Amino acid sequence: MSETGALDAERLSAALSGRYAAIQVVASTGSTNADLRESAAKGAEDRTVLIAEEQTAGVGRRARQWSSPKGTGLYVSVLLRPGGVPFANLGSLSVVAGLAVREVAAGLGVDAVLKWPNDLLAGPGRAKCAGILAEAVAGDDTTVILGIGLNVLPLGENVPAGPGGLPATSLAEQGATETDRAEIATRLLTGFDELERRWRVAGGSLAEAGLLGDYRRHCATLGQDVEVQLPDGSALTGRAADIDPAGQLQVDVPGGERYTVFAGDVVHVRPAGS
C-alpha cells in the first residue's frame, strides 16, 4: 500500500490522456460543485474537472454537510454538457457515477455495494464510504454538475452519520490495497469517462447503455424493506423492488401498489426475509 501525497493537475492530465477538457486542483474551496456551477455560467467546456484537497462547505443531498478534511479523500466535480440526453434521464447519471466508484473500490479489494440513489457502502458493516450529488444547471443547453466525495483515508472522529445512522468509513479502513489519491483519482475518472460515454450515446437510458443490469446486481437497496423520505417531507415504506431504465427506484407498498421514487432518501429497515 503506497502513501498518499498532494494531488497534481499535470500528473492527472497526463495519466488521463485527453479524456477531459480541463483538470484543475485547488488546495481549498467551499464546494467544488458550487465552483463549477459558476464556471458553467461562464462557458466552461463539457468534461471540465475540479478537484479540491479540502472543502469547507461541502454538501450532499438535501444540503447536508459532507465532511471533506484536507488530504483524506477525493472531492471531485465534473461539468457535463450531455446534449441529446432528455432532462427526464439526467437523474440516472448518479447511477453511472455510482458504478464507477464501486468499480474502483472493488479493484482495490474493498467489499462495497451501492445504496440508492447515491451512496457507496463498504465493509461488513456497510458503512458509508462515498456520496454522489448530481445537479442540473439552468441554461440554454443541458448542463449537469456531478460531484463525488470518496473517503480514502480515515476521517477521524466526530464525523456525522448519514441518513438512517450510517457511520462513515474509508477505503483504507476497509483494507484497500492502494491509498495513493492520485492513482485512485485516475482510476475513478477513467472508469467514469468510459461509463458516461456509453450512457450519453444511449440518450441516458441505463438499459440501452448496458448498465442497468450491473446496477441491479450491485445495489444493496433492492430486496430490502425501506423507508423513503420524500422531498416534500412525507415518507413511504415498502419493499424496494426494482430500478427502472431512468435510474428511479420502484417500491412495492402495502396494498399491492408499485410506487416510483424520483428522488428521496432511503433508509434500509431490514433485509428481506430477515
Side-chain angles (χ1 to χ4, degrees):
M1 181 184 296
S2 63
E3 294 298 321
T4 187
L7 297 168
D8 180 82
E10 289 187 5
R11 175 184 170 186
L12 289 171
S13 296
L16 290 163
S17 304
R19 292 176 183 269
Y20 293 89
I23 298 175
Q24 181 183 10
V25 177
V26 297
S28 181
T29 191
S31 162
T32 54
N33 264 30
D35 290 350
L36 278 192
R37 281 199 301 273
E38 293 183 6
S39 296
K42 297 175 182 176
E45 292 183 71
D46 179 30
R47 308 177 81 76
T48 293
V49 177
L50 177 62
I51 304 175
E53 290 280 2
E54 172 190 46
Q55 292 184 122
T56 58
V59 295
R61 287 174 56 83
R62 302 179 76 172
R64 291 190 182 90
Q65 178 184 1
W66 177 266
S67 183
S68 312
K70 184 176 182 178
T72 63
L74 288 176
Y75 317 121
V76 183
S77 291
V78 185
L79 187 161
L80 299 161
R81 300 189 187 274
V85 176
F87 184 83
N89 286 349
L90 293 180
S92 62
L93 193 55
S94 292
V95 167
V96 177
L99 286 170
V101 175
R102 196 215 69 86
E103 186 175 284
V104 168
L108 299 174
V110 173
D111 173 28
V113 295
L114 295 164
K115 173 176 171 286
W116 189 91
N118 67 334
D119 291 338
L120 179 79
L121 309 182
R126 296 305 186 222
K128 184 169 179 175
C129 192
I132 297 161
L133 180 64
E135 301 176 295
V137 179
D140 295 333
D141 61 354
T142 301
T143 304
V144 181
I145 308 299
L146 178 79
I148 300 172
L150 173 60
N151 302 331
V152 178
L153 299 175
L155 299 178
E157 300 178 356
N158 302 319
V159 176
L166 282 175
T169 191
S170 65
L171 295 175
E173 290 170 285
Q174 299 304 327
T177 57
E178 175 67 76
T179 58
D180 181 83
R181 290 180 303 128
E183 171 62 25
I184 294 172
T186 299
R187 294 190 191 193
L188 175 59
L189 288 168
T190 297
F192 176 71
D193 167 69
E194 294 171 353
L195 295 181
E196 193 274 343
R197 290 181 188 276
R198 288 167 56 185
W199 170 86
R200 190 179 298 207
V201 168
S205 169
L206 296 172
E208 292 185 23
L211 301 176
L212 184 57
D214 288 345
Y215 190 80
R216 285 169 170 161
R217 280 192 294 276
H218 298 302
C219 182
T221 303
L222 294 181
Q224 298 248 9
D225 287 341
V226 297
E227 177 180 285
V228 185
Q229 299 162 358
L230 300 173
D232 65 1
S234 64
L236 66 86
T237 58
R239 176 71 52 83
D242 202 0
I243 304 292
D244 73 13
Q248 298 162 150
L249 179 66
Q250 296 182 326
V251 179
D252 290 340
V253 300
E257 184 179 0
R258 178 161 291 187
Y259 188 98
T260 298
V261 179
F262 301 91
D265 287 325
V266 170
V267 176
H268 293 176
V269 178
R270 62 178 176 82
S274 66

